[in-house]
Structure formats: structure tokens, C-alpha cells
Amino acid sequence: MCGIVGISSRTEFSSRVLLTRLKRLEYRGYDSYGFRLGATTFKSVGGIRVAAGGRGRLGIAHTRWATHGGVSERNAHPHLSCDGRIAVVHNGIIENHEELRRELARKGHRFAGETDSEVIAHLIEEGLRHGPMPRVLADLFRRLVGTFAVLVTVEGQEEMYAMKRDSPLVLGVGGGRTYVASDIYAFSDATDRAMFFENDEFAVIRADDYRFFDKRGKPVAKRAFRFSRERETRPRSGSGHHMLREIREEPEAVERLLFSLGHDQRKAFDALIGLIRRSRKVIFASCGTSYHASLLGSYFLHRAGVECQTLIASEFRHFADVDPDTLVIALSQSGETMDVIDALKYAAGKGGRIAALVNVPHSTVQRMSRLTLNILAGREICVASTKAFISQAVLLLMIARRFGFRVDATDIPDKIRAVLRRRAALKAIAVEIAQSRDLYIIGRGLTYPVARETALKIKETSYIHAEGMMGGELKHGTLALIEEGTPVISLINNSDPDIISNTREVEARGAKTFIITNNPALRREKAAISIATGNDGKFGILAAVAGQLIAYYAAASLGRPIDKPRNLAKSVTVK
Ligand code: AGP
């Protein structure tokens, strides 16, 4: 996944302005970046440094997550035509780039790097020899195979050009400037008016004037919609890691969500409950952390008598039987995860109903869904998702509550605050497990999804091999790996005898156990963290907060980069 942004302005602006916008997209990719502003072209490897250098009224910028071609300055965007006049930034994948490259090379084009994106600059250069830009762009839709959101500037021209197929692209207007970006966060602090590109549309943009066209060059009428500026998206300020800051934001995020379900999202909430009731089958589709939240949701809903299934989005088509009576609920923080989008396309193709629980408003997943609830977690910058998981889980708990699951959710924010106050004890566990190479986290029922989520957080931030599993599965193989001193975190809900017996099983084989429980009787166990809450599902959410803190402190004690773990971008399946 990469991030792109362009600004066309009535007045001159500096690269600092452009890079500040780009910085807001850094979570989409961060191995290199670059921009073209006026006559200045800049490229660099590494994270975005917002520094001055160049001025102009038209600028495009790109933050990269390498897929085709290594991390290097020459592979960083913008890519230029042979004469250097055309600059292109691209998010997506051009599948037929090798064939196009060969064809362009035969015509004498020289390539500076190895990326798939570079062919776009040369195709445009070639096209402009034979016709004007709108015709060239219309032609590109015919020539390019793959996914793309592209911004183009041409030296000496006042227009910026933008085009899209299957990669997100949104245009914002306000204050004498037009912005085009991979997502609305790029400019959500500067304007509250935006419009989305649909597939196979392009736009010609000049300061605060913009015209949309379809792929044949026929004008397309569009109306801007208004969105609420920054209200839910501004991250907490201050220094330190985003991960810790975002964990600390969880109580307010949950308060915001609970409030909205009774107010501004009430109608949508009622509509979703109605949709679930009317559907013969309910299937969740999601990936990674969102998948673990869906699993927790399945647990809550089953307890409330609602039959449902949770599928990893990338496996959706292999395991789901979708028909017009099936409701597919996508869970996605970003709303841009390609596996989720593919699952929804598949479900839509089978006539299924689609709803979504997302964090990023107006995202692709939201726009593919008949009905959406926003989890309102606010902008999540750290690659390791934390507050989004908690908000997703709370929303699912609230849905289950409407079907009869008995829970008082009003005290969840305060209970999360109580867990945050236990940081010293959680840090002590973290420092101890950080010394190990392998680690197991066990749970059952309510705590099984939390065990998996905790393991994922530890893996991606600490690079320790962690396995989150059902306690019941230990005896079917994994027990063979438990030896003297193996750390095992056991998540014990209430007095569940089965998970208590799993804990004793691993202890009997020498495991060093750390217990996280809401069972007061276990409080006195060695290395136990007790969380005061009843047997009403909330322990799952609170244990997840404890797991997030353990993961954070383990990674911090190892000096890991935390906010940008190696090999991971925030929504990993979209370039
Ligand atoms: C978890 O910390 C990761 N960021 C990852 O597993 C993530 O949850 C997954 O890629 C799904 O992303 P989404 O919720 O934006 O669809």
C-alpha cells in the first residue's frame, strides 16, 4: 500500500505544506517518499521529513511501500518521463508493466528504476506526442491492467490530472485549494467538502476548479458531500509511540462510540439489527486484528442465540456459501484491505447483502456496503491496531446486547482506565516474556479470540514467536513444545474449569505461567493480574487491553520500532 496526495492552489505553497499532507498518509507506507512541486523534484529513502524545499501552485507527493522494485531513491515516486517534464505518482499495481516496458523501450524510452509505476510516465509521454492529455488518459484506461490511483503533472501546465481504478482516490475542495489523495485523512483538517472517484474516472484539476470524466472522456457530474472535520480523527498530541497513545485513547473512543449508538448512529444501528434479524445467515469477513474482533463478536452473538460464522477474508470464497438471504458483515479498520474488498465483491456477485463496521469513513468497504456503522475509534496511526480492536469489540457486544446478551456497557471506559493503571504489573510480565523466543497464550470461549489477538500484537511489535490458541487444543499436539520455563499467558474468564485445568497442565510440564483473570479466587496466584469485572463478556475486552500493554512494553524493552514494525504496512494487502 502507498499513499498519494496532490494539491492545486490559487496561491503558491511550500513543500512543507505538501509534505504535511503526505505525512498524514504515512501509515499507508513509509519506506521512501518523494514529491514534485513546481519545478522541484525530490526523492528520499526512509520516513517523511517535513522540510522546506521548493514552492509552487501545483504539487504531487507519494509515500511508498515497496512491492515492485527495492527500496531506493530511483524507485521512489514521482516517476518522470524521459524529458523529465511529466511527473507521476501511483498507488496500485500495474500487472502488465513488463509488456508495456518492453514496448516503450522499443520506442526508445529509458527507465530510471524497476517499478511497475514508471511505465505510466512514459506511456503519457508517448501519448502526448499524438494528442491532448484527456485523450491520453482515456487511452491509459484501455492500456493499463491492474489497480491504480494516479496523479500527473506536466511542467508548464497549470492542471493536475487524476485517475482511478480499484485503488482509493478522493478529491477535497476548500480555501482556494483542491486536494486529491488516497484517503480523506490527507486533508480532513483543511476542508469538509469531498467527492470520491469511481472506477475508471479521471479528473482535470486547476486550483478550485475540477472536472470529472468517464474513461471515454465523457463529462461526469459530481456533487461534493460534507463530512465532519477532524472531530473523530484527531490523534492525541504528545511525544512517544503512537501505539501507547492509541491504547490510552481507548476509554474516550469507547465513550464516543456508546454515545453515538444512542444518537447520531442510532438509525443505522437499528437498521443493522433489523438486517441481522431478517437474514437467514450472518457471516463476518475480516483480516488480522479485525478478524479477532469478529471472532469475539461471534462469541457474543452465539451467546445471544444468533447463529453466525466468522471467516478470514482471504479465504472467504473457499468457505462461504452466500445467497440473497445471507448478510455479510465486513469488519475493517481501514476499509481498504484488498482481501476484504475481494470478499465483498464475491458476496455481492452471489447476491448477498453487505454491511460493514469500519473506522475510516467513506472508505471503499463502506462504499461497497448497503449499511455501515462507524466504530469511531479515531485516526489509528500505529500499524499495530489497538483502539480499533477495542471499539470493534464493544460495537459487537452492543449488537449482541440488542439480541438479549446481558451486559451493562456503560462502565467499560472506566474499567479500561483501571486496566491502564495496572501498567507497572503488565510491564513486569512484558519484560520477562521479552526474553523468550517462543511464547504461548491460551484462552477458551470468550478469551480464545483475545489469546490470538494478544499473540498477533506480540509478534508484530516484538518479533517474538507467539502462538495464541484454544486451551483445549494443547493436548492435540502443542503440549509437546511446553518445557521447563516456557512462558504461557493464560486468560481465565471467571471460574472456567477447563482453562484452569489447561493452565495446570502446562505448569505440570514446567511452563512459567502468567494469569490474567477476573476470578478473585485466582488473585493470589503467582504472577496473576486480576481484572475486576463480572462474567458478562467485558473481561474479553479488558483482557485484550492488558494484552496490548504487554505487547507494547515487551517491544519497548527490546527497543523495537513499534509504530512501524518490519515488513508490515497498515493495511497490508493494498499497495
Ligand atoms: C494488526 O495489528 C494489523 N494492523 C493487521 O492485522 C490488520 O488488522 C489487518 O491487516 C486488517 O486491517 P483492516 O482492519 O484495516 O482491514
Side-chain angles (χ1 to χ4, degrees):
M1 171 166 92
C2 303
I4 61 175
V5 62
I7 304 177
S8 178
S9 171
R10 266 191 246 143
T11 51
E12 271 203 351
F13 58 90
S14 70
S15 59
R16 190 178 285 277
V17 172
L18 184 60
L19 289 172
T20 302
R21 301 273 143 242
L22 188 67
K23 186 90 183 155
R24 291 168 72 91
L25 299 178
E26 201 177 20
Y27 71 90
R28 299 178 63 89
Y30 44 80
D31 60 35
S32 51
Y33 70 105
F35 66 84
R36 167 79 150 240
L37 176 60
T40 309
T41 304
F42 173 90
K43 297 182 183 208
S44 175
V45 167
I48 300 164
R49 289 177 299 280
V50 178
R55 291 185 71 76
R57 288 193 294 157
L58 193 58
I60 54 176
H62 183 275
T63 182
R64 180 165 189 248
W65 185 250
T67 55
H68 290 63
V71 179
S72 65
E73 261 180 35
R74 63 201 193 100
N75 284 338
H77 300 218
H79 291 297
L80 307 181
S81 52
C82 293
D83 63 8
R85 291 183 57 237
I86 299 161
V88 166
V89 293
H90 165 227
N91 172 33
I93 292 173
I94 304 301
E95 286 164 18
N96 58 338
H97 71 104
E98 282 174 0
E99 172 193 325
L100 292 170
R101 193 180 262 258
R102 279 195 298 273
E103 175 193 316
L104 288 158
R106 277 197 300 274
K107 291 181 175 161
H109 289 263
R110 296 173 317 280
F111 290 85
E114 299 116 21
T115 72
D116 54 331
S117 312
E118 199 179 344
V119 295
I120 302 171
H122 294 275
L123 276 176
I124 295 174
E125 183 173 40
E126 193 60 32
L128 284 177
R129 289 184 185 140
H130 308 288
M133 186 64 105
R135 203 190 305 156
V136 173
L137 296 182
D139 198 45
L140 277 188
F141 281 114
R142 220 173 34 76
R143 305 288 329 267
L144 297 176
V145 177
T147 60
F148 46 87
V150 176
L151 301 180
V152 186
T153 61
V154 182
E155 204 179 287
Q157 288 192 14
E158 294 198 352
E159 286 92 1
M160 167 167 63
Y161 304 92
M163 62 190 295
K164 119 136 193 159
R165 176 182 292 161
D166 280 333
S167 286
L169 198 63
V170 57
L171 180 146
V173 238
R177 282 181 184 161
T178 300
Y179 306 90
V180 190
S182 304
D183 86 43
I184 214 161
Y185 285 150
F187 51 76
S188 59
D189 59 335
T191 178
D192 60 358
R193 284 168 58 218
M195 56 199 79
F196 282 97
F197 286 74
E198 296 304 330
N199 274 341
D200 290 1
E201 283 182 353
F202 71 88
V204 181
I205 298 145
R206 196 173 177 154
D208 45 9
D209 172 45
Y210 46 84
R211 280 161 294 144
F212 281 81
F213 301 89
D214 70 11
K215 65 176 174 190
R216 282 175 208 89
K218 226 173 96 201
V220 173
K222 277 211 192 250
R223 282 228 330 257
F225 69 92
R226 285 195 184 273
F227 59 95
S228 56
R229 267 197 208 208
E230 281 298 271
R231 191 172 61 88
E232 310 99 6
T233 62
R234 192 182 308 118
R236 199 177 264 213
S237 58
S239 58
H241 291 114
H242 289 301
M243 181 174 176
L244 187 58
R245 232 179 293 154
E246 287 166 2
I247 294 171
R248 287 184 181 147
E249 283 168 13
E250 287 168 356
E252 295 104 87
V254 172
E255 275 161 2
R256 192 162 53 223
L257 173 65
L258 293 177
F259 178 83
S260 89
L261 293 180
H263 296 84
D264 46 311
Q265 295 207 90
R266 193 190 177 125
K267 262 195 178 156
F269 190 32
D270 290 346
L272 180 66
I273 302 301
L275 204 51
I276 295 175
R277 275 192 216 286
R278 289 195 304 278
S279 302
R280 200 171 48 82
K281 233 189 286 177
V282 176
I283 312 179
F284 290 108
S286 43
C287 306
T289 290
S290 295
Y291 170 71
H292 298 148
S294 318
L295 270 182
L296 205 48
S298 288
Y299 171 89
F300 295 144
L301 282 168
H302 276 120
R303 293 283 301 268
V306 180
E307 191 58 51
C308 57
Q309 195 187 354
T310 300
L311 291 176
I312 297 232
S314 56
E315 292 292 325
F316 190 85
R317 64 180 61 231
H318 305 301
F319 291 91
D321 177 23
V322 179
D323 61 23
D325 260 350
T326 306
L327 172 63
V328 176
I329 305 180
L331 257 88
S332 176
Q333 186 286 128
S334 62
E336 300 295 348
T337 299
M338 198 50 94
D339 289 335
V340 178
I341 293 168
D342 284 346
L344 294 188
K345 279 186 186 161
Y346 174 80
K350 297 276 178 187
R353 305 160 174 169
I354 297 171
L357 314 182
V358 298
N359 192 35
V360 176
H362 316 296
S363 53
T364 305
V365 167
Q366 168 161 353
R367 284 179 290 119
M368 290 176 80
S369 307
R370 164 165 164 182
L371 184 64
T372 308
L373 282 180
N374 194 303
I375 61 164
L376 298 178
R379 188 143 69 105
E380 195 175 58
I381 297 168
C382 179
V383 172
S385 180
T386 51
K387 60 178 179 168
F389 174 86
I390 298 300
S391 295
Q392 287 168 333
V394 170
L395 177 50
L396 290 161
L397 183 64
M398 295 306 283
I399 292 171
R401 189 168 169 270
R402 292 285 297 268
F403 286 93
F405 189 88
R406 289 163 70 111
V407 60
D408 170 15
T410 53
D411 59 357
I412 296 177
D414 279 339
K415 284 181 182 279
I416 295 176
R417 288 185 183 100
V419 177
L420 297 178
R421 285 196 290 274
R422 308 293 304 278
R423 61 183 173 278
L426 294 163
K427 195 171 181 176
I429 296 179
V431 169
E432 222 176 311
I433 62 154
Q435 302 314 313
S436 54
R437 231 187 43 193
D438 300 297
L439 164 72
Y440 299 86
I441 299 119
I442 56 172
R444 268 182 184 252
L446 174 70
T447 60
Y448 159 61
V450 183
R452 289 195 55 178
E453 174 54 15
T454 303
L456 179 64
K457 286 287 93 75
I458 292 172
K459 278 189 276 204
E460 68 179 333
T461 58
S462 295
Y463 318 154
I464 296 170
H465 166 243
E467 198 171 322
M469 58 182 299
M470 299 154 174
E473 276 294 287
L474 277 168
K475 59 182 173 298
H476 299 292
T478 309
L479 216 44
L481 296 171
I482 306 294
E483 51 190 34
E484 198 59 40
T486 305
V488 177
I489 299 176
S490 179
L491 307 176
I492 303 179
N493 181 33
N494 209 29
S495 49
D496 178 352
D498 293 328
I499 188 75
I500 295 176
S501 115
N502 293 144
T503 311
R504 302 303 172 224
E505 242 167 23
V506 292
E507 282 170 346
R509 282 154 184 83
K512 166 108 184 72
T513 53
F514 303 92
I515 292 170
I516 297 178
T517 183
N518 57 345
N519 181 348
L522 296 170
R523 208 172 31 210
R524 277 183 235 298
E525 295 253 339
K526 239 172 54 197
I529 302 272
S530 137
I531 292 175
T533 196
N535 184 21
D536 57 1
K538 285 185 289 202
F539 177 64
I541 292 164
L542 301 171
V545 178
Q548 293 169 351
L549 285 171
I550 290 175
Y552 172 76
Y553 287 118
S557 76
L558 293 166
R560 303 292 193 228
I562 298 186
D563 286 336
K564 296 171 182 174
R566 67 181 176 206
N567 300 336
L568 292 172
K570 187 139 187 75
S571 180
V572 289
T573 43
V574 188
K575 181 188 167 194

